[in-house]
């Protein structure tokens, strides 16, 4: 089978993960159960998910010139993600995510750090890499003008782009129109595409909407098709959406039809929620099959 070539352009974070019995309320101090530093960032997670499933994966991103930056690059190398397009930004911290995991859910605050230094001219250095890819996968933890530049560039180079619009950020319709697929969760879909109203959401022919344990939906014409997920024991949902996106890109690059690709991505995501940390539970190909 053709080895899928995926290039992820996006964020690389160190996740500072606190496990607690409950979320603290405003002004409240609680004792937590444990604390871990774990590799994360939506871009990084999607790259690792796709690599574990057997794709050739490159990441275009930036880390700071701090100890976390080195650890994050080492992590990609151990996961088989190609790191030639990772820049080390002097005098800037690596991206950070403060995560509290509690009651099968999470709350996250991110500090962009080096991810905020991903400017359009940096992307242009990797035109050949982008052109050689079956799919480009992007998220919204890098500057908006860079997202828009990537969409323009990929249109010129005729390379399909999957946009995972997380965290939610509005783009002009002309930019959404350049995506092959858009993969919001249900909350992002409500905010960005009027998914909650009676009529059809905007760009419904491009949408693949994830809905946690319920599975994921897409539209065939004006009919919504929902592909349910398997029920599993949930430890931590952090990175489940990223696992879904990485797996979806792999399946589509392999030529799977959308419904089959969504089922494959659902299955991958159902593995990821069973372990603490964004990347720890991402499955290998053999586990899914
Ligand atoms: O999607 C999960 C990711 O969001 C975490 O790994 C964290 O870094 C934030 O970017």
């Amino acid at each position: 089978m053709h080895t899928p070539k995926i290039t992820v352009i996006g964020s690389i974070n160190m996740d500072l993960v606190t496990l607690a019995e409950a979320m603290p309320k405003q002004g409240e101090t609680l004792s937590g159960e444990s604390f871990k530093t774990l590799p994360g960032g939506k871009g990084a997670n999607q790259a690792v998910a796709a690599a574990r499933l057997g794709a050739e994966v490159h990441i275009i991103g930036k880390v700071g010139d701090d100890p976390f930056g080195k650890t994050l690059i080492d992590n990609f190398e151990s996961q088989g993600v190609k790191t030639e397009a990772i820049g080390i930004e002097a005098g800037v911290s690596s991206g950070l995510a403060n995560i509290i995991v509690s009651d099968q859910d999470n709350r996250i605050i991110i500090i962009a750090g080096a991810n905020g230094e991903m400017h359009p001219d940096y992307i242009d250095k990797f035109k050949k890499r982008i052109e050689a890819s079956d799919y480009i996968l992007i998220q919204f933890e890098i500057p908006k003008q860079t997202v828009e530049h990537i969409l323009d560039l990929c249109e010129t180079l005729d390379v399909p782009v999957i946009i995972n619009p997380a965290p939610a950020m509005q783009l002009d319709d002309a930019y959404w129109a350049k995506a092959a697929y858009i993969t919001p969760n249900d909350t992002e879909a409500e905010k960005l595409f009027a998914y909650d109203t009676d009529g059809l959401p905007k760009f419904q022919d491009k949408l693949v909407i994830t809905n946690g344990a319920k599975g994921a939906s897409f539209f065939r014409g004006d009919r919504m098709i929902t592909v349910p997920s398997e029920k599993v024991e949930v430890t931590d949902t952090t990175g489940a959406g990223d696992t879904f996106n990485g797996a979806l890109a792999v399946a589509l690059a392999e030529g799977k039809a959308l419904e089959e690709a969504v089922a494959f991505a659902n299955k991958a995501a159902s593995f990821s929620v069973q372990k603490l940390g964004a990347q720890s539970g991402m499955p290998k190909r053999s586990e899914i099959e």
Side-chain angles (χ1 to χ4, degrees), residues 45-122:
N45 296 342
Q46 295 180 17
V48 169
R52 289 229 183 127
L53 293 170
E56 180 188 316
V57 183
H58 293 253
I59 180 150
I60 302 177
K62 284 193 175 183
V63 294
D65 62 346
D66 53 7
F68 281 160
K70 181 170 176 349
T71 308
L72 292 164
I73 293 177
D74 289 349
N75 175 60
F76 283 127
E77 278 162 5
S78 71
Q79 297 296 331
V81 175
K82 312 250 189 256
T83 56
E84 296 87 3
I86 298 182
I88 301 177
E89 194 70 22
V92 178
S93 75
S94 296
L96 294 174
N98 242 301
I99 304 181
I100 301 176
V101 177
S102 177
D103 197 17
Q104 302 192 348
D105 215 339
N106 63 34
R107 286 194 187 171
I108 305 181
I109 294 183
I110 54 168
I111 301 291
N115 300 308
E117 303 301 318
M118 289 269 286
H119 301 300
D121 58 337
Y122 186 69

Side-chain angles (χ1 to χ4, degrees), residues 11 13-15 39-42 45 96-97 99 108 110 141 238-239 242 278:
S11 57
N13 294 338
M14 186 58 89
D15 289 354
K42 294 188 195 303
N45 296 342
L96 294 174
I99 304 181
I108 305 181
I110 54 168
E141 288 183 336
T238 313
D242 298 329

Side-chain angles (χ1 to χ4, degrees), residues 248-267:
L248 184 75
V250 172
L252 291 170
E254 285 172 353
K256 288 188 170 53
L258 186 57
E259 187 160 356
E260 203 190 337
V262 171
F264 180 82
N266 269 347
K267 190 150 191 197

Side-chain angles (χ1 to χ4, degrees), residues 112-288:
N115 300 308
E117 303 301 318
M118 289 269 286
H119 301 300
D121 58 337
Y122 186 69
I123 308 301
D124 286 342
K125 291 187 185 174
F126 304 105
K127 273 188 193 165
K128 286 219 173 83
R129 161 61 31 226
I130 291 172
E131 202 165 16
S133 309
D134 295 318
Y135 273 93
I136 301 297
L137 196 46
I138 61 171
Q139 323 72 31
F140 287 171
E141 288 183 336
I142 58 173
K144 184 174 183 178
Q145 76 271 25
T146 307
V147 166
E148 293 171 349
H149 182 73
I150 294 165
L151 290 164
D152 286 336
L153 182 65
C154 290
E155 182 181 47
T156 310
L157 300 176
D158 198 21
V159 182
V161 184
I162 301 172
I163 306 180
N164 173 225
M169 169 174 83
Q170 195 53 267
L171 294 182
D172 287 347
D173 284 359
Y175 285 108
W176 294 123
K178 293 177 198 263
Y181 295 99
I182 309 169
T183 59
N185 63 23
D186 53 334
T187 314
E188 290 150 359
E190 284 173 18
K191 201 164 169 183
L192 301 172
F193 304 105
Y195 173 54
D196 50 344
T197 53
D198 281 344
L200 286 170
K202 284 170 75 176
F203 295 104
Q204 104 262 9
D205 56 324
K206 296 177 188 289
L207 293 182
V208 176
I209 301 168
T210 56
N211 199 350
K214 293 191 186 130
S217 306
F218 64 93
F219 290 84
R220 194 171 279 155
D222 56 7
R223 196 163 65 91
M224 190 169 86
I225 313 243
T226 296
V227 184
S229 297
E230 285 168 33
K231 284 210 166 32
V232 292
E233 193 76 23
V234 176
T235 299
D236 178 12
T237 56
T238 313
D242 298 329
T243 308
F244 181 95
N245 276 278
L248 184 75
V250 172
L252 291 170
E254 285 172 353
K256 288 188 170 53
L258 186 57
E259 187 160 356
E260 203 190 337
V262 171
F264 180 82
N266 269 347
K267 190 150 191 197
S270 74
F271 276 81
S272 91
V273 298
Q274 297 181 52
K275 292 206 178 134
L276 181 71
Q279 297 176 11
S280 321
M282 289 174 176
K284 294 216 170 86
R285 188 80 187 210
S286 53
E287 292 175 89
I288 292 209

